[in-house]
Amino acid sequence: MPAMGKLTLKDLDLRGKCVLVRVDFNVPLRRINESDRYEVADDTRIRAALPTIKTIRAANGKAVLMSHLGRPKGTPDPRYSLSPVAIRLGELLDTVPRFSSETVGSIVEKTVRAMPYGSVILLENTRYFPGETTNDPDFAAELAKLGDVFVNDAFGTAHRAHASNVGVAKHFSRAAAGFLLERELIQLGSVLESPHPPTVALLGGAKVSDKMGVITNLADIADHILIGGAMAYTFLKAQGVSVGNSLVEEDRLGDALEILDKTAGKLLLPCDHVVSTAIDEPDARRLLSDAIEDDFMGLDIGPETITQYTAKVLQARTCIWNGPMGVFEVPAFASGTNAMAHAVAESTDNGAVTIVGGGDSVAALKKTGLDNQVTHVSTGGGAMLDFLEGKALPGLMALTDKQ
């Protein structure tokens, strides 16, 4: 399934070309010793783009990289500068980092033209411009001046129609998927098209509304759909179970009942809960089965649910995980999420194909040191959900069809 019928990096002649690459360097930063300087806190997404960048360099092409970082709301903001990312990128590539404080315009155009072939430059945050998120054609045209061919290697933004991934592609006769984007599509596509049964979907997070389409679409291929996180309480309340002060989407109770009806026999809900009076009151933690008392809220799945869910995951030959089982950032409510991380890793050791996506799920894997013990860690949470829901990804659709 090479990028769903689209051109890939292997289809391009990169020699002597300026290759404009949309990467996803939207990485967490941390302040250095309470100064105004920042450094990269997690370079996972930078490392994921290295195969594409190194291939362009090896072919004697120029890699012109563009990315967003955070939400600077269409105006320059030093807190969201990509300058620290350029430094880390240079360390990973073992080269002097090139960084342009300009994103478009004559200055950066001259800089790119003067660069030797085989070099790399990272442009400043595309979201410093309001035209990025509105897919402004003029801004896209300015970006397009910086390349001879276009490569999209940012799966994390493939579900957004922005200037730097969709608008810019229209200006090139050959727009292709990079290695990261291609790998994401192959891994996720295989789950939808030819999963090895039994297939288990482990879904958590806060909102049913975020996962409705995914649950409905996966119901056709999954043998079991295991629900955790706050969204479990919308399902439970829809069934008439008392959930106390747990987070509930009141306007989605009808949708929850409809999903329960469609997935009869497949969808599992927590049978016990770790509860407290508030997230910041871990000392009030209690274990409850069935109904939750009025003054308490469900903040994690309980030990019996962990046992049941673990058994299903360990029986799986295909497992998809998106979303935590509870408020895992608080140690008192992290047992369910941590247990699922270990179960998914063990399932991988047993020969299952395991795919994990979504910032919280990936963070939980990293926290437990298991991020290298699953088949595939997706770099896009929202894009992964849209893909699994069966939606077309604008960033992919804008690329050139294979002839």
Side-chain angles (χ1 to χ4, degrees), residues 191-192 195 199 201 213-225 262-263 266 388-389:
V191 169
L192 290 182
T199 297
V214 175
I215 295 172
T216 302
N217 204 41
L218 289 181
D220 292 333
I221 62 169
D223 297 281
H224 305 288
I225 301 173
K262 288 181 179 177
T263 59
K266 289 188 175 184
L388 293 177
E389 189 175 337

Side-chain angles (χ1 to χ4, degrees), residues 81-129:
S81 173
L82 282 163
S83 177
V85 177
I87 294 172
R88 183 59 186 144
L89 176 64
E91 293 169 350
L92 293 172
L93 290 173
D94 194 23
T95 185
V96 177
R98 275 187 171 82
F99 175 70
S100 171
S101 58
E102 306 287 335
T103 310
V104 292
S106 60
I107 294 176
V108 68
E109 289 171 27
K110 290 177 183 177
T111 300
V112 170
R113 283 198 297 269
M115 283 167 46
Y117 288 98
S119 58
V120 181
I121 188 170
L122 175 62
L123 309 178
E124 186 54 285
N125 196 335
T126 56
R127 287 192 183 174
Y128 278 6
F129 298 81

Side-chain angles (χ1 to χ4, degrees), residues 220-272:
D220 292 333
I221 62 169
D223 297 281
H224 305 288
I225 301 173
L226 316 179
I227 301 295
M231 70 172 178
Y233 300 105
T234 298
F235 283 109
L236 288 168
K237 186 168 183 176
Q239 290 181 317
V241 177
S242 175
V243 297
N245 288 335
S246 303
L247 182 64
V248 171
E249 287 183 278
E250 299 287 349
D251 61 336
R252 296 291 184 175
L253 295 176
D255 295 325
L257 278 177
E258 188 175 333
I259 290 173
L260 286 165
D261 184 58
K262 288 181 179 177
T263 59
K266 289 188 175 184
L267 193 142
L268 277 70
L269 295 170
C271 62
D272 61 344

Side-chain angles (χ1 to χ4, degrees), residues 202-206 211 227-231 300-301 321-329 333 336-338 340 357-362 364:
L202 182 62
L203 301 175
K211 305 274 170 64
I227 301 295
M231 70 172 178
D300 194 12
I301 57 175
W321 181 21
N322 185 291
M325 297 292 101
V327 186
F328 79 103
E329 299 90 345
F333 311 120
T337 301
N338 291 340
M340 291 306 100
D360 289 338
S361 306
V362 174

Side-chain angles (χ1 to χ4, degrees), residues 271-310:
C271 62
D272 61 344
H273 318 272
V274 178
V275 302
S276 182
T277 52
I279 294 174
D280 57 358
E281 292 290 344
D283 292 339
R285 179 179 53 172
R286 290 171 54 185
L287 289 175
L288 288 177
S289 298
D290 299 324
I292 297 176
E293 299 164 335
D294 288 346
D295 292 337
F296 287 83
M297 61 179 68
L299 297 170
D300 194 12
I301 57 175
E304 180 58 33
T305 303
I306 289 174
T307 299
Q308 292 181 10
Y309 284 13
T310 297

Side-chain angles (χ1 to χ4, degrees), residues 363-382:
L365 270 182
K366 287 179 176 293
K367 208 169 184 179
T368 51
L370 299 170
D371 50 308
N372 291 319
Q373 297 184 45
V374 297
T375 305
H376 179 64
V377 176
S378 178
T379 56

Side-chain angles (χ1 to χ4, degrees), residues 156-224:
T157 61
H159 61 314
R160 306 294 188 197
H162 289 172
S164 65
N165 66 342
V166 172
V168 72
K170 298 176 182 178
H171 295 270
F172 295 91
S173 60
R174 295 174 73 77
F179 290 138
L180 182 156
L181 178 57
E182 182 182 14
R183 174 173 165 75
E184 291 272 13
L185 296 171
I186 289 172
Q187 293 288 346
L188 294 173
S190 66
V191 169
L192 290 182
E193 293 193 355
S194 54
H196 299 292
T199 297
V200 171
L202 182 62
L203 301 175
K207 296 181 178 180
V208 171
S209 53
D210 289 342
K211 305 274 170 64
M212 282 176 51
V214 175
I215 295 172
T216 302
N217 204 41
L218 289 181
D220 292 333
I221 62 169
D223 297 281
H224 305 288

